[in-house]
């Protein structure tokens, strides 16, 4: 669209001696937009110069936009690559030294001085040091940022499980939901049994007697 509009403006603004036909105008617009500029055709009139100048400026903006997007995506992909590699190395180190999913809660309780089940940055780095799995302090700080999903400055057992042992995390989530659903079902059944055994609540009985008298 940009090439067609600019080529039409150039063709209308130039003489046929400068731009013999519309295909020549399209060629000039194309080489101008791609900043090639062969020089075989060029404008000579004021409208032609203005059109080409505007086309050059618009082309720079138009071509710079996707370059910025691609550059940003490449940077984000490179950061994700670093995160994935570090996470895989951490998992391999845990597996090498025999740490399992059930050991995480014990390790957190060992380091957590507040007893809240959450680790601050210093606690997390100290935990990595005590585990002696070959992860440096700098790498531990990066891991803390990866694990802290809600960005509250702390990591808990669920966040660690989700990244390090995703399969075990999913099993715990499913079991927790089933347990909550089972408790709710038991509560509804016990309430229904009480109603059947003792009759409706007193408020409902009083209300029914008032309706009968009226």
């Amino acid at each position: 669209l940009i090439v067609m509009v600019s080529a039409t403006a150039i063709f209308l603004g130039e003489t046929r001696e400068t731009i013999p036909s519309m295909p020549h105008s399209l060629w000039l617009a194309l080489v101008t937009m791609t900043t090639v500029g062969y020089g075989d055709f060029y404008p000579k009139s004021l409208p032609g110069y203005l059109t080409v100048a505007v086309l050059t400026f618009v082309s720079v903006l138009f071509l710079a936009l996707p370059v910025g997007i691609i550059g940003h995506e490449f940077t984000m992909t490179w950061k994700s690559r670093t995160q994935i590699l570090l996470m895989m190395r951490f998992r391999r180190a845990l597996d090498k030294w025999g740490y399992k999913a059930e050991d995480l809660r014990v390790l957190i309780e060992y380091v957590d001085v507040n007893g809240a089940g959450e680790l601050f940055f210093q606690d997390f780095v100290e935990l990595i040091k005590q585990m002696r799995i070959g992860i440096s302090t700098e790498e531990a700080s990066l891991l803390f940022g990866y694990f802290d999903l809600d960005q509250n400055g702390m990591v808990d057992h669920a966040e660690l499980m989700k990244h390090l042992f995703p399969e075990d995390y999913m099993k715990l989530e499913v079991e927790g939901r089933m347990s909550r659903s089972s408790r709710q079902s038991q509560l509804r059944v016990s309430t229904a049994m009480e109603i059947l055994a003792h009759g409706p609540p007193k408020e409902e009985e009083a209300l029914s007697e008032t309706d009968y008298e009226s």
Side-chain angles (χ1 to χ4, degrees), residues 36-61:
V36 177
Y38 284 108
D40 48 354
F41 295 98
Y42 53 89
K44 293 183 179 180
S45 64
L46 180 59
Y49 278 121
L50 292 176
T51 302
V52 172
V54 172
L55 177 60
T56 304
F57 180 74
V58 172
S59 301
V60 171
L61 297 179

Side-chain angles (χ1 to χ4, degrees), residues 20-74:
S21 62
M22 188 63 183
H24 293 85
S25 181
L26 287 170
W27 169 255
L28 175 59
L30 183 61
V31 297
T32 301
M33 187 175 183
T34 56
T35 67
V36 177
Y38 284 108
D40 48 354
F41 295 98
Y42 53 89
K44 293 183 179 180
S45 64
L46 180 59
Y49 278 121
L50 292 176
T51 302
V52 172
V54 172
L55 177 60
T56 304
F57 180 74
V58 172
S59 301
V60 171
L61 297 179
F62 182 76
L63 295 177
L65 182 62
V67 171
I69 295 175
I70 294 173
H72 174 73
E73 292 299 326
F74 178 80

Side-chain angles (χ1 to χ4, degrees), residues 94 99-100 102-112 119 127 131:
L94 291 176
Y99 290 102
K100 303 298 181 182
E102 54 270 15
D103 300 328
L104 277 181
R105 191 176 297 277
V106 178
L107 293 172
I108 292 176
E109 293 175 355
Y110 171 74
V111 180
D112 181 23
L119 299 181
L127 174 62
M131 292 173 70

